[in-house]
C-alpha cells in the first residue's frame, strides 16, 4: 500500500537554475512497513477471538446469569479499564532494552488467550471478574508495545495512515468475531461454551503469527530513496549534532507529562473518556429501543465494526493532512450525534444503521488517530511508555464511566443515564476543543 506524494521544499529536494525548488521524482512516500502489516494480521486474528466473547458477554451476563445493570457495569468497567493498571508497566518493560516490544506484546497476547477457556468455569460475579481482569491485564501489557512498534515503523508523514491500516485490519477481525459467535450460537446447544472454546483456539493462532512473522529488534520506518544533491552542497553541508537519547527509566517515562503537547493530549483523552459510554451499554440500549431478539444481539457489533473498517484508513489519511487533534475531536462529535439519535423519538428502520455508523465513525476518528497524534510528542526511546500514559488515562476514565453509567441506569433508568452522559460529553468536548486550539502545527 503506497501513498503517492512529493514534498516540494523538503530538505534535499533538487533546485533548478532559477532557484525554484522542484519536487523530486524519487520522493514518494514509502509503503506501509511489513511490521505494520504483520501486526495487523495478529490483531485481525486476535480480534476475531476477543470479539466473539465481547459480542455475547453482555447477554450472557445480564440474561444468562441475571446480573443487574450495576453488576454488569462493574464487570464492564473491569473489562475495559483494568488494563490501565498494567499499561504503564507494559510500556516501560518494552522500552527497557531494544527489541523487547515484540516479546512484551507476545506475553500480553498469550495471557489473554489463556483466559478464554477459564470463562467455561466461571459462573458467578467474583470468578468472572477475576478472569476478565486477567484478560485485560494481557491487553494492557500488549497495547502500548504494539502501538509503539507501529509508530516506530512509520514516518510522521504517513503515521496516521499506518495506524489506519492497522486499525482497519484489526476491525476486520472485530467484524468477523460477532458473526462467528452468531453462527456458533445458532448451530450448537451449549452455545456460550462453544463460543469460549473456539475463541481460545483462534487466540492461540494469533500468538503463533506474532511469534513467527513479527520481526525482532527495533523497527525502522520505511524510507524513500534519497534525492540527489549537488556535489558542492553535499560536500559542504554540516553534520547536525545528534541529540542524546533519553534513557528509558520509569522516572523518565513519568517525566514525559512535563511535555506540554503530550500532557494536553493525555488530559483530553482522560476527560473525554469520562463521558464515553462503553460499547456494551450502547448495544443494550439499542436492543431495548428496537426489541431485538436475544439470538440477534451478537450481530449489533457488526455495524460498528463495518463502519470502523470502512473509515479507518480514510480518516487516518485525513489526520495526516489536517492534524490528528481535529479528527479526534470530530470523532467525539459523531459519538454525540449517536447519543442524540438514541435519545430521540425516532423509530424508523434506519435508526440502528445511523447509530452504528456514527459509533464506528467515532472509533475510526479516535482510536489510531490518538496514538498517531501522541507519537509526535514522545521520543523514540520512550515511545511505548509515552503511549501507555495516554492509554492509561483513557482506560481509567472509561472504567469510571462504566461504573457511573451502570449505577445511573440502576437508579434512574437507561434514558436518564444516557442523557447525563450526553450532556457530560458535550461539556468535555467543548473544554478539549479550547485546550487543543492553541496548537498551530498539525499533529499526525
Amino acid at each position: 500500500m503506497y501513498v503517492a506524494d512529493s514534498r516540494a521544499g523538503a530538505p534535499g529536494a533538487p533546485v533548478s537554475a532559477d532557484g525554484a525548488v522542484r519536487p523530486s521524482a524519487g520522493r514518494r512516500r514509502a509503503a506501509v512497513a511489513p511490521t505494520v502489516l504483520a501486526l495487523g494480521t495478529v490483531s485481525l486474528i486476535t480480534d476475531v477471538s476477543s470479539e466473539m466473547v465481547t459480542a455475547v458477554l453482555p447477554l450472557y451476563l445480564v440474561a444468562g446469569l441475571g446480573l443487574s445493570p450495576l453488576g454488569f457495569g462493574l464487570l464492564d468497567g473491569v473489562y475495559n479499564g483494568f488494563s490501565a493498571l498494567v499499561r504503564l508497566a507494559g510500556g516501560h518493560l518494552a522500552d527497557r532494552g531494544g527489541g523487547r516490544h515484540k516479546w512484551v506484546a507476545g506475553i500480553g497476547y498469550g495471557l489473554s488467550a489463556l483466559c478464554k477457556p477459564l470463562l467455561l468455569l466461571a459462573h458467578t460475579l467474583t470468578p468472572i471478574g477475576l478472569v476478565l481482569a486477567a484478560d485485560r491485564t494481557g491487553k494492557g501489557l500488549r497495547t502500548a508495545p504494539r502501538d509503539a512498534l507501529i509508530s516506530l515503523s512509520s514516518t510522521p508523514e504517513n503515521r496516521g495512515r499506518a495506524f489506519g491500516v492497522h486499525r482497519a485490519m484489526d476491525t476486520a477481525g472485530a467484524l468477523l468475531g460477532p458473526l462467528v459467535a452468531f453462527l456458533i450460537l445458532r448451530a450448537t446447544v451449549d452455545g456460550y461454551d462453544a463460543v469460549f472454546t473456539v475463541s481460545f483456539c483462534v487466540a492461540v493462532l494469533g500468538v503463533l503469527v506474532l511469534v513467527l512473522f513479527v520481526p525482532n529488534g527495533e523497527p525502522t520506518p520505511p524510507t524513500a530513496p534519497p534525492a540527489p544533491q549537488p556535489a558542492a552542497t553535499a560536500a559542504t553541508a554540516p553534520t547536525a549534532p545528534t541529540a542524546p537519547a533519553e534513557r528509558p527509566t520509569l522516572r523518565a517515562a513519568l517525566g514525559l507529562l512535563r511535555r506540554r503537547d503530550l500532557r494536553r493530549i493525555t488530559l483530553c483523552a482522560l476527560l473525554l473518556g469520562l463521558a464515553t459510554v462503553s460499547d456494551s451499554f450502547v448495544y443494550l440500549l439499542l436492543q431495548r429501543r428496537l426489541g431485538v431478539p436475544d439470538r440477534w444481539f451478537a450481530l449489533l457489533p457488526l455495524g460498528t465494526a463495518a463502519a470502523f473498517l470502512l473509515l479507518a484508513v480514510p480518516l487516518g489519511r485525513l489526520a495526516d493532512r489536517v492534524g490528528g487533534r481535529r479528527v479526534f475531536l470530530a470523532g467525539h462529535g459523531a459519538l454525540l450525534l449517536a447519543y442524540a439519535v438514541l435519545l430521540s423519538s425516532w423509530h424508523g428502520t434506519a435508526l440502528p444503521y445511523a447509530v452504528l455508523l456514527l459509533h464506528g465513525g467515532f472509533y475510526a476518528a479516535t482510536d489510531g488517530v490518538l496514538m498517531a497524534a501522541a507519537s509526535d510528542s514522545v521520543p523514540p526511546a520512550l515511545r511505548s511508555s509515552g503511549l501507555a500514559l495516554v492509554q492509561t488515562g483513557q482506560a481509567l476514565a472509561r472504567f469510571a464511566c462504566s461504573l457511573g453509567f451502570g449505577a445511573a441506569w440502576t437508579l434512574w433508568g437507561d434514558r436518564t443515564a444516557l442523557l447525563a452522559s450526553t450532556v457530560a460529553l458535550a461539556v468535555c468536548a467543548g473544554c478539549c476543543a479550547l485546550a487543543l486550539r492553541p496548537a498551530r502545527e498539525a499533529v499526525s
Side-chain angles (χ1 to χ4, degrees):
M1 186 173 296
Y2 293 83
V3 186
D5 182 38
S6 295
R7 299 269 177 188
V15 182
S16 62
D18 60 357
V21 179
R22 295 184 290 104
S24 169
R27 293 187 67 82
R28 298 175 182 171
R29 288 188 195 169
V32 172
T35 298
V36 176
L37 299 178
L39 287 169
T41 303
V42 174
S43 293
L44 188 156
I45 296 171
T46 302
D47 249 38
V48 172
S49 169
S50 61
E51 292 301 323
M52 287 174 62
V53 175
T54 301
V56 303
L57 195 62
L59 200 63
Y60 175 65
L61 296 175
V62 175
L65 301 183
L67 290 181
S68 67
L70 178 59
F72 176 72
L74 176 61
L75 283 181
D76 189 67
V78 169
Y79 191 72
N80 290 293
F82 192 84
S83 62
L85 300 178
V86 294
R87 289 194 189 209
L88 287 175
H92 178 63
L93 288 173
D95 285 334
R96 296 281 294 182
R100 291 191 183 181
H101 298 81
K102 170 183 173 178
W103 299 112
V104 174
I107 292 171
Y109 280 110
L111 180 58
S112 293
L114 291 175
C115 290
K116 300 299 189 294
L118 295 180
L119 289 170
L120 297 169
L121 307 175
H123 297 94
T124 58
L125 184 63
T126 299
I128 291 176
L130 292 174
V131 172
L132 294 181
D135 178 79
R136 295 299 90 181
T137 298
K139 182 175 178 60
L141 284 174
R142 72 179 184 251
T143 301
R146 180 203 66 198
D147 285 348
L149 283 171
I150 297 170
S151 174
L152 293 169
S153 300
S154 56
T155 63
E157 291 78 15
N158 74 346
R159 192 166 286 149
R161 170 177 281 241
F163 274 100
V165 169
H166 174 268
R167 292 322 196 247
M169 297 179 72
D170 181 273
T171 308
L175 189 65
L176 293 173
L179 182 59
V180 174
F182 169 74
L183 294 175
I184 292 174
L185 288 176
R186 288 181 63 88
T188 59
V189 177
D190 297 325
Y192 293 119
D193 290 351
V195 168
F196 298 150
T197 301
V198 174
S199 174
F200 167 68
C201 297
V202 176
V204 171
L205 177 61
V207 175
L208 290 176
V209 172
L210 175 75
V211 172
L212 296 175
F213 295 103
V214 174
N216 292 313
E218 290 289 343
T220 55
T223 56
Q229 296 185 8
T233 303
T236 60
T239 302
T242 303
E246 294 194 44
R247 191 180 175 191
T249 64
L250 189 57
R251 176 179 294 182
L254 295 176
L256 289 172
L257 289 177
R258 290 195 294 268
R259 295 170 176 257
R260 186 183 177 203
D261 283 350
L262 184 64
R263 184 171 64 248
R264 287 190 304 173
I265 292 173
T266 303
L267 289 175
C268 287
L270 188 152
L271 192 61
L272 291 166
L274 287 172
T276 301
V277 177
S278 77
D279 301 356
S280 298
F281 277 124
V282 171
Y283 303 142
L284 286 172
L285 288 166
L286 259 182
Q287 185 199 30
R288 291 194 169 212
R289 279 287 306 270
L290 302 174
V292 176
D294 290 354
R295 66 180 180 276
W296 299 103
F297 181 84
L299 293 181
L300 290 178
L302 290 178
T304 296
F308 193 171
L309 177 63
L310 292 174
L311 296 174
V313 174
L315 290 179
R317 295 180 63 187
L318 181 64
D320 286 334
R321 294 178 58 189
V322 305
R325 301 178 190 188
R326 295 178 182 178
V327 176
F328 179 70
L329 290 173
H332 286 85
L335 186 63
L336 267 175
L337 287 176
Y339 293 171
V341 171
L342 281 172
L343 287 169
S344 71
S345 57
W346 181 28
H347 288 84
T349 55
L351 170 66
Y353 302 101
V355 171
L356 295 175
L357 175 63
L358 290 167
H359 197 228
F362 156 70
Y363 277 113
T366 58
D367 190 15
V369 169
L370 176 62
M371 292 297 97
S375 294
D376 284 347
S377 302
V378 183
L382 294 170
R383 189 63 52 84
S384 287
S385 300
L387 297 184
L389 284 172
V390 180
Q391 294 164 355
T392 296
Q394 188 177 58
L396 285 174
R398 290 184 177 179
F399 174 80
C401 183
S402 288
L403 294 180
F405 190 86
W409 186 335
T410 302
L411 292 174
W412 305 320
D414 55 349
R415 186 176 180 83
T416 303
L418 183 59
L419 179 60
S421 295
T422 303
V423 173
L425 181 59
V427 172
C428 292
C431 293
C432 291
L434 292 175
L436 296 177
R437 186 175 59 179
R440 296 184 178 275
E441 295 182 3
V443 179
S444 54

